[in-house]
Amino acid sequence: LEERPLQGAADLLARADWIVCTSPRGAAQIKRCASDLRRLRGRLAAIGEGTARALALEGLPPDVTAEEPTSEGLARLLRSLIRPGERVAFVRNERASSLPEEAVRQAGGVPFELAAYRMIPNPLPGEELYRELWRQAPLHAVVFGSAALAEAWWDRFGGLPPGAVPVAWGETCARRIRELLETQREGGRDVAVLESPDLPGLERVLRRLNALLSDLRLEQAAADVGKSDEETPKRKGPRRKTERNDTAPRRTRKGNPS
């Protein structure tokens, strides 16, 4: 995480009718940017329970929290709350989704973005060995928690390993993954999306993928067992003679035992 200097941020936050925090990391950034919390008069909105807890730990309990902790869920909340002319300050990552800001505009509000920090990709331990490891033990799925993380993956690895199913934390993330797949000419590839953006939702998706994978293995095994003789590859080269049991009686041309 790299904090960004923001001139005039304290005055902007002091004039805001709403201050929106889009991640737990943003809670500390509000305190850094505001300098004096006593000047804050606006109400606080959090994208989800994790962010709400982070705000409370900073002495800033939110007034409202989105029921669904995604950009879409926050956008729906703001669209229902914001009144025309209200000033809404977003304290966020510079790569965060624009959906909540668009929702504020649709409601007649005036959004202001405070891109207080950004995420800097760091090298992963042993990443030069990853591709060889994936060839030896193929990945079944790759989970992306945000569109920015999907972009970082593509920048680092150039795409998904063959056969790996991309799993998206939400629809915004899924749309970005589909766009990135287009760059690999794999636009028709399925993207699994969490029904609920939380760990239980992730567990459900991975369990379904595992069950599908098991079914495919069983189908393939059944297909292999059920192949007809014509489909079975024929043995190449001369057939080996079977050894005759010397104790068995031999027959002459007339069929009598010798």
Side-chain angles (χ1 to χ4, degrees):
L1 183 146
E2 180 182 84
E3 294 181 343
R4 301 182 60 204
L6 295 171
Q7 293 190 6
D11 290 337
L12 191 152
L13 289 173
R15 296 196 306 269
D17 299 295
W18 285 91
I19 299 171
V20 181
C21 193
T22 62
S23 78
R25 294 183 179 91
Q29 299 303 314
I30 291 177
K31 289 186 70 173
R32 178 177 72 87
C33 294
S35 66
D36 185 356
L37 296 180
R38 292 172 299 180
R39 296 183 62 196
L40 301 182
R41 64 178 183 83
R43 289 185 286 175
L44 276 170
I47 194 172
E49 291 297 334
T51 301
R53 287 192 293 270
L55 286 167
L57 288 173
E58 297 291 346
L60 297 166
D63 297 281
V64 293
T65 302
E67 292 184 3
E68 179 185 328
T70 62
S71 298
E72 292 85 355
L74 180 60
R76 284 193 294 271
L77 174 67
L78 295 175
R79 198 177 292 115
S80 68
L81 292 176
I82 303 303
R83 300 291 176 260
E86 288 187 320
R87 301 162 64 90
V88 183
F90 287 86
V91 181
R92 44 173 272 177
N93 179 355
E94 69 174 4
R95 299 294 300 276
S97 170
S98 62
L99 286 177
E101 291 184 39
E102 293 170 6
V104 169
R105 291 190 184 94
Q106 292 170 3
V110 182
F112 293 90
E113 178 186 339
L114 289 175
Y117 64 97
R118 61 178 177 172
M119 307 305 294
I120 306 297
N122 289 320
L124 301 171
E127 69 177 46
E128 67 278 2
L129 303 175
Y130 285 9
R131 288 184 176 85
E132 179 59 31
L133 292 173
W134 296 338
R135 280 191 288 270
Q136 296 178 17
L139 293 178
H140 297 140
V142 180
V143 180
F144 298 102
S146 70
L149 288 174
E151 292 171 358
W153 174 282
W154 254 259
D155 290 342
R156 187 63 56 88
F157 300 112
L160 291 170
V165 177
V167 179
W169 203 259
E171 283 297 338
T172 300
C173 180
R175 281 195 294 272
R176 186 57 183 139
I177 292 172
R178 294 186 186 102
E179 293 170 356
L180 292 167
L181 286 170
E182 290 285 353
T183 65
Q184 293 181 286
R185 298 182 179 179
E186 296 187 59
R189 194 166 176 177
D190 289 336
V191 179
V193 185
L194 272 62
E195 295 174 358
S196 60
D198 48 32
L199 291 179
L202 176 60
E203 180 183 2
R204 286 192 294 271
V205 166
L206 294 181
R207 284 184 179 276
R208 282 201 298 270
L209 289 176
N210 185 60
L212 288 171
L213 183 61
S214 299
D215 290 344
L216 289 173
R217 286 172 177 164
L218 288 173
E219 288 176 9
Q220 184 60 50
D224 290 342
V225 170
K227 283 181 178 178
S228 65
D229 292 340
E230 291 77 10
E231 293 173 319
T232 304
K234 297 183 181 298
R235 183 192 300 273
K236 295 183 180 180
R239 182 183 297 274
R240 294 180 58 189
K241 293 182 179 180
T242 57
E243 295 183 2
R244 188 182 295 273
N245 188 346
D246 292 339
T247 61
R250 296 185 181 181
R251 294 183 179 274
T252 64
R253 290 184 178 178
K254 292 183 179 181
N256 296 324
S258 58

